[in-house]
């Protein structure tokens, strides 16, 4: 890894894949086709791109039971415990309505209402990510969403990965469709004969899925478009180089575009970590991916002091931040921008990816400056309620009418003034 | 207004202006130019489009005092009282961090952190909207945002409307720029020599501003792209036709694309409201605009019963909903989708536009199904924090490593397992 002296503010930003014209054209065509022709169009594109004919999109109870029966019981228990931890953390995010009394019997309120229906896209391909099922579904369930749908492209055998079905089953989600790609996003957004539409679509996908999500945004809500993963380790000379290196590599192995950064006040740690990264890379199964990431985007910065290091972290606004320093909690209190923070030697980042309870869907590419990880608020919306009594109205109507007239909106003023005429009461 | 029997679910959706290729090209050019040439480019476009030369973009203390000195003291008092009400309502939205203890000294936390800097765009043109200043700035202040910037195109006289300056001054906002259009959005997003960048941009604007906001989205956060205003009145035979009509017109006068809908169980009310709308239109200063809106998008629906009426409201998901029925609060409890709800005869919608305390920046075009009005949460973000003790790590590392390996991420498993080797401690 390159080692540099920290001077200016630093940035993680990479040019993200935004799709080309041809891809966008394809996606728009799929969206329109599914909107107009429903199931028939979904079937057509599944056959064309995923290579199998779907009679029934929906995963059967039999398929779910088959997956459960053949699944490693220990892994199932691990998933269940992770789900419990995630539920515990997210339950604390649940909010209540509030009602504020005003004078004369009037009041204002805010109501918290869960979305009616949400859809989670789970990408297909070689690997299965049951942890993503937990991380997306549980906040929606805690929010009180009644209908939660999962959709994912089936493999060549026409089946979904057992781990995904088991994770869904643990959570009680049974509306699962074997549909992928832009056609899945279209079906969720517009609905078809066999798939009712949802109000929000979450979950990652390939470039076609990402483009489709952008296109349907407005019609339905979407989560953020996640970029490649990032980790920043902030360490002093109390940290262990082999542990820091292992954590940097845990993100590098995700994606050639992943970004792993160490910021440290210790020159010797910097050198040892660089050496350890090289050593550990050699035996990593995903060495090729991790090496590309480390070579292109890996970086070690040596800071003059912890204050400078902290400022650099704030300018990075990394997705994941590990703090392995003396008085880690004091240092953490100075951090304003990071998606998720891991404190101390024993809070290795994968602890949060799988198990601790916090969410692993996090803001990337410096968007932690203004965005948050997935949470219960992403699955609710708020309505305000105003109740004015006659007395409150009478007292305030002249003020409201003046303000409306100042803005040139006479109709507004008249509406407020229209009350209270005697009407034979 | 057209009167129809309510049969199926109904919709408010209108085709919104999305900008043409030429507009988008212009906007992209402005954004790039400002990004590269800063103040010089901002100055160039202000001269070109707003018709004045800006030496100094920033509004001076002298200009603010001049506005304050010449402003109607009664109106200033009205604005101050409105600000106080808005602050009272939004303060209840402020959230605290939480920290959840786990076994063995471990814990999880969620931190709430305000954005560093936000920019509010205030449109220029003939009218001034000080109420928008209050509605955008106060939630940001309650959230704890340290730097709040306002930008707005100056008039031909090189000045901003006094009402906008007075509203800003009441709130203590003094960083105000006389810049409008796409160049203002560019300056806020990228920064220039004289305008430091912000993390989020809110506020409405013309099509160039809207396109520019969409383009910089991702680089910074933006609020929703608001559509034309909507009101839905849900009424039974206890409502007064003249009041309902006045409220319908208060939204119709905003925009030819505004949408005013009455859903009622009373046929006689339907007919009286139609008549009243016609009568009241004749004397409305903004008659031309309101008439276009009523003719094209106004609609009265007669429902068979309140249950059917409520379902229709939920399918509309209107921006504003007034409930003028018996037991209005019971009816309101059945509403799942509405940006803001106004209960009873005395809670005319403009009460909320200006004064009651709730926010008037609300989700339009049926997006109340998944979106909320502007609120304090729009100006904060959340970070999760994980602290695992050695004991918690030791107990859970094998589970986490198993889950990681199930997903094919050996590097994750190794990172978690890398701890706890003896290192001469």
């Amino acid at each position: 890894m390159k080692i540099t002296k920290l001077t200016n503010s630093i940035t993680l930003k990479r040019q993200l894949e935004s799709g080309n014209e041809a891809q966008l054209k394809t996606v728009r065509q799929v969206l329109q086709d599914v909107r107009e022709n429903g199931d028939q169009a979904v079937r057509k594109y599944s056959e064309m791109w995923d290579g199998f004919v779907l009679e029934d999109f929906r995963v059967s109870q039999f398929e779910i039971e088959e997956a459960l029966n053949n699944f490693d019981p220990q892994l199932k228990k691990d998933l269940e415990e992770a789900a419990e931890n995630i539920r515990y953390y997210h339950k604390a995010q649940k909010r209540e309505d509030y009602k504020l009394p005003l004078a004369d019997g009037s009041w204002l309120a805010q109501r918290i209402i869960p979305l009616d229906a949400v859809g989670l896209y789970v990408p297909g391909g070689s690997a299965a990510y049951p942890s993503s099922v937990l991380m997306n579904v549980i906040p929606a369930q805690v929010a009180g969403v009644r209908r939660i749908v999962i959709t994912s492209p089936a493999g060549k055998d026409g089946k979904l990965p057992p781990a995904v079905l088991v994770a869904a089953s643990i959570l009680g989600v049974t509306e699962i469709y074997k549909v992928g790609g832009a056609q899945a996003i279209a079906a969720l957004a517009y609905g078809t004969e066999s798939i009712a539409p949802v109000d929000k679509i979450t979950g990652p996908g390939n470039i076609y899925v990402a483009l489709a999500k952008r296109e349907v945004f407005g019609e339905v809500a979407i989560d953020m478009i996640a970029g490649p993963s990032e980790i920043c380790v902030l360490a002093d000379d109390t940290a262990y180089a082999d542990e820091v290196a292992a954590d940097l590599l845990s993100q590098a192995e995700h994606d050639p575009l992943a970004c792993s950064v160490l910021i440290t006040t210790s020159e010797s740690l910097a050198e040892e970590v660089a050496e350890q990264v090289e050593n550990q890379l050699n035996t990593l199964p995903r060495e090729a991916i991790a090496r590309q990431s480390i070579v292109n985007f890996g970086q070690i910065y040596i800071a003059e002091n912890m204050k400078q290091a902290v400022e650099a972290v704030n300018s990075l606004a990394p997705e994941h931040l590990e703090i392995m320093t003396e008085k880690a909690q004091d240092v953490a209190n100075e951090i304003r921008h990071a998606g998720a923070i891991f404190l101390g030697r024993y809070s290795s980042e994968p602890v949060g990816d799988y198990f601790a309870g916090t969410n692993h869907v996090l803001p990337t590419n410096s968007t932690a400056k203004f965005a948050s990880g997935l949470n219960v608020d992403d699955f609710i919306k708020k309505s305000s309620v105003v109740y004015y009594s006659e007395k409150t109205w009478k007292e305030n109507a002249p003020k409201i009418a003046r303000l409306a007239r100042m803005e040139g909106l006479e109709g507004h003023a008249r509406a407020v003034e229209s009350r209270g005429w005697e009407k034979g009461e």
Side-chain angles (χ1 to χ4, degrees), chain A:
Chain A
M1 284 177 88
K2 290 177 288 265
I3 303 179
T4 336
K5 277 228 179 300
L6 184 62
T7 48
N8 291 84
S9 79
I10 53 180
T11 171
L12 283 175
K13 288 187 188 180
R14 283 145 296 166
Q15 195 59 47
L16 299 185
E17 197 182 14
S18 62
N20 60 39
E21 284 297 320
Q23 289 168 327
L24 185 59
K25 207 178 144 194
T26 303
V27 163
R28 285 186 174 157
Q29 191 190 317
V30 171
L31 293 176
Q32 200 191 328
D33 199 355
V34 172
R35 187 170 213 160
E36 286 167 10
N37 301 309
D39 282 350
Q40 191 202 318
V42 172
R43 202 167 278 122
K44 181 173 85 187
Y45 294 111
S46 295
E47 201 170 338
M48 196 183 298
W49 289 323
D50 297 332
F52 56 84
V53 184
L54 278 178
E55 280 313 314
D56 193 354
F57 301 155
R58 186 151 174 180
V59 172
S60 68
Q61 189 53 38
F62 174 79
E63 287 172 281
I64 295 173
E65 274 161 27
E66 193 189 24
L68 277 169
N69 290 337
N70 297 308
F71 201 72
D72 178 344
Q74 181 61 64
L75 278 176
K76 179 158 181 273
K77 245 183 95 187
D78 293 338
L79 280 172
E80 281 166 344
E81 193 172 343
E84 204 176 299
N85 293 346
I86 296 165
R87 202 172 295 277
Y88 176 65
Y89 180 75
H90 287 78
K91 267 189 176 166
Q93 292 169 351
K94 180 136 188 178
R95 303 168 73 181
E96 300 301 323
D97 298 353
Y98 67 78
K99 187 169 171 177
L100 301 175
L102 305 177
D104 306 316
S106 300
W107 50 266
L108 306 174
Q110 178 176 270
R111 288 173 59 196
I112 308 284
I113 302 168
L115 305 194
D116 282 347
V118 302
L120 162 61
Y121 187 87
V122 176
S126 49
Y129 296 107
S131 60
S132 295
V133 174
L134 306 186
M135 293 295 178
N136 281 273
V137 168
I138 293 171
Q141 290 183 325
V142 172
V145 175
R146 290 186 233 176
R147 181 172 161 248
I148 299 174
V149 181
I150 293 175
T151 187
S152 185
K156 297 285 176 211
D157 59 352
K159 290 186 178 177
L160 292 188
V164 167
L165 298 182
V166 168
S169 176
I170 284 170
L171 304 177
V173 175
T174 58
E175 188 178 347
I176 309 170
Y177 298 102
K178 293 183 273 190
V179 179
Q183 63 270 30
I185 303 302
L188 291 175
Y190 308 134
T192 69
E193 298 90 325
S194 60
I195 304 178
V198 302
D199 300 303
K200 181 164 190 166
I201 302 172
T202 67
N206 63 19
I207 187 68
Y208 292 97
V209 170
L211 284 172
K213 281 173 68 182
R214 270 190 203 276
E215 288 291 305
V216 299
F217 172 58
E219 189 88 26
V220 297
I222 61 168
D223 59 350
M224 60 192 121
I225 306 282
S229 193
E230 302 149 4
I231 188 169
C232 174
V233 178
L234 177 58
D236 60 16
D237 55 15
T238 65
Y240 293 92
D242 60 328
E243 301 174 3
V244 172
D247 289 1
L248 293 173
L249 288 176
S250 78
Q251 294 312 295
E253 76 168 346
H254 269 299
D255 193 322
L257 287 171
C259 187
S260 300
V261 171
L262 166 64
I263 301 175
T264 179
T265 49
S266 160
E267 247 183 273
S268 61
L269 184 78
E271 279 156 26
E272 285 171 54
V273 167
E275 205 182 298
Q276 275 287 339
V277 164
E278 194 49 45
N279 289 348
Q280 294 184 22
L281 258 176
N282 292 328
T283 66
L284 205 62
R286 294 166 70 93
E287 179 191 349
I289 294 170
R291 190 175 291 281
Q292 253 189 288
S293 157
I294 290 290
V295 168
N296 291 324
F297 302 106
Q299 189 68 258
I300 297 174
Y301 293 102
I302 299 172
E304 279 171 30
N305 51 47
M306 197 47 71
K307 188 167 178 297
Q308 191 199 25
V310 162
E311 271 320 298
V313 171
N314 281 326
S315 76
L316 276 181
E319 181 191 18
H320 303 103
L321 172 66
E322 291 187 353
I323 304 181
M324 293 196 259
T325 64
E326 270 195 304
K327 296 185 182 161
Q329 204 172 339
D330 291 351
V331 174
N333 289 339
E334 301 301 314
I335 299 299
R336 294 197 312 282
H337 309 306
I341 300 172
F342 299 85
L343 284 187
R345 181 180 171 191
Y346 295 102
S347 311
S348 174
E349 190 274 338
V351 162
D353 281 343
Y354 290 107
F355 194 78
T358 52
N359 209 290
H360 79 198
V361 181
L362 293 164
T364 55
N365 223 36
S366 295
T367 59
K369 286 192 179 164
F370 50 77
S372 312
L374 198 68
N375 64 88
V376 172
D377 293 337
D378 289 315
F379 298 100
I380 59 105
K381 69 257 181 23
K382 296 156 243 177
S383 296
S384 60
V385 191
V386 174
Y387 172 71
Y388 257 31
S389 67
E390 183 178 4
K391 197 165 169 210
T392 304
W393 164 79
K394 198 169 272 176
E395 193 187 320
N396 295 302
K399 307 170 197 169
I400 299 166
R402 277 195 298 266
L403 289 167
R405 290 196 171 98
M406 169 174 59
E407 296 194 350
L409 296 170
E410 176 67 20
H412 284 60
R414 290 188 189 174
V416 173
E417 289 172 345
S418 71
R419 269 63 178 184
W421 297 333
E422 286 310 321
K423 296 194 172 84
E425 280 167 290

